[in-house]
Amino acid sequence: MRIALYGTDLRKLRMHKQRLQENFAKIDNEVEISCYEDKGLLKNNLEDFQVIFMEETSLQKFEMYAESEKSRKKIAFAIGKEIVTYYIKDIYYVEAELSKIHLATKDGEYILPITITEAEKILEADGFIKTHRSYLVNVAHISKIKSRIAVLDNGREVPISKYRLKRVKEEYLKMLEA
């Protein structure tokens, strides 16, 4: 991938270039970053780049994104001969349906041929709690608890059984305090 950085302060551009190279070195060694102070020279070489940053604020935002992306934890599900992965923070909840589950993420819903018990074993150490016999919820996505309903930050309402209500509230309060 080829990236161009444009700005009026070459010293700042080089600083951004170094930070970006450090971040990309852990992900992709095939990244080439060039710095431009001359807008005309950059315009003549536009076709050479896949990404062009022209403002310092956009560079700073991208650096923050690249840094946080390294710390995002993935979870893997072995399904037959395939292994599928999802980012933990992107999973809202898991809903059971017979011998398979619906995995609701920020990108959509996926049906996986595993049981809710198997999913619970995989996810419980990563902030998921069983709210009902048919639901596992990512506690980080609970925005409020009303009566026996967990309201998620995507608007979805998930039931909480009366037997699990106390523990769900405790885990939710722990998450708020953290």
Side-chain angles (χ1 to χ4, degrees):
M1 177 188 321
R2 296 195 68 217
I3 298 173
L5 308 180
Y6 170 77
T8 56
D9 186 343
L10 191 57
R11 184 186 56 78
K12 284 185 180 179
L13 289 175
R14 287 184 177 145
M15 180 183 67
H16 287 298
K17 177 181 177 177
Q18 182 179 355
R19 284 201 301 253
L20 286 172
Q21 284 175 326
E22 289 169 3
N23 284 326
F24 276 111
K26 298 168 186 162
I27 302 167
D28 182 1
N29 288 328
E30 300 293 320
V31 174
E32 181 183 327
I33 303 173
S34 301
C35 298
Y36 288 88
E37 280 185 300
D38 181 354
K39 193 183 280 188
L41 188 58
L42 174 62
K43 281 183 180 179
N44 291 338
N45 295 307
L46 284 178
E47 66 224 24
D48 294 341
F49 300 101
Q50 285 83 26
V51 180
I52 299 171
F53 290 103
M54 298 184 74
E55 295 179 22
E56 188 162 349
T57 54
S58 64
L59 271 168
Q60 290 169 339
K61 287 179 184 178
F62 183 74
E63 285 173 6
M64 288 173 39
Y65 171 78
E67 188 64 33
S68 69
E69 197 63 19
K70 292 184 298 189
S71 64
R72 290 182 71 187
K73 185 176 180 186
K74 282 187 173 183
I75 194 79
F77 293 95
I79 301 169
K81 294 180 180 179
E82 290 184 39
I83 296 178
V84 291
T85 60
Y86 301 95
Y87 287 110
I88 294 286
K89 288 182 180 180
D90 291 350
I91 302 172
Y92 289 111
Y93 66 92
V94 175
E95 181 181 6
E97 183 183 301
L98 300 173
S99 61
K100 58 187 172 191
I101 61 168
H102 290 264
L103 186 75
T105 72
K106 288 182 178 183
D107 298 324
E109 285 197 30
Y110 304 93
I111 297 173
L112 304 177
I114 63 172
T115 66
I116 190 123
T117 305
E118 293 168 319
E120 185 177 14
K121 288 177 187 172
I122 296 168
L123 295 169
E124 69 185 346
D126 291 303
F128 284 76
I129 187 164
K130 198 164 192 178
T131 62
H132 183 275
R133 65 185 169 140
S134 299
Y135 287 90
L136 283 172
V137 174
N138 187 339
V139 177
H141 285 294
I142 297 176
S143 62
K144 67 181 172 181
I145 296 175
K146 61 179 188 180
S147 187
R148 288 193 3 234
I149 302 286
V151 181
L152 306 182
D153 54 19
N154 68 350
R156 172 73 180 192
E157 294 184 352
V158 176
I160 304 172
S161 71
K162 66 181 179 180
Y163 304 106
R164 299 178 195 272
L165 183 60
K166 182 180 176 186
R167 180 150 185 267
V168 171
K169 284 182 177 180
E170 288 171 355
E171 292 299 317
Y172 176 61
L173 289 173
K174 278 186 204 174
M175 185 270 308
L176 289 176
E177 292 172 358

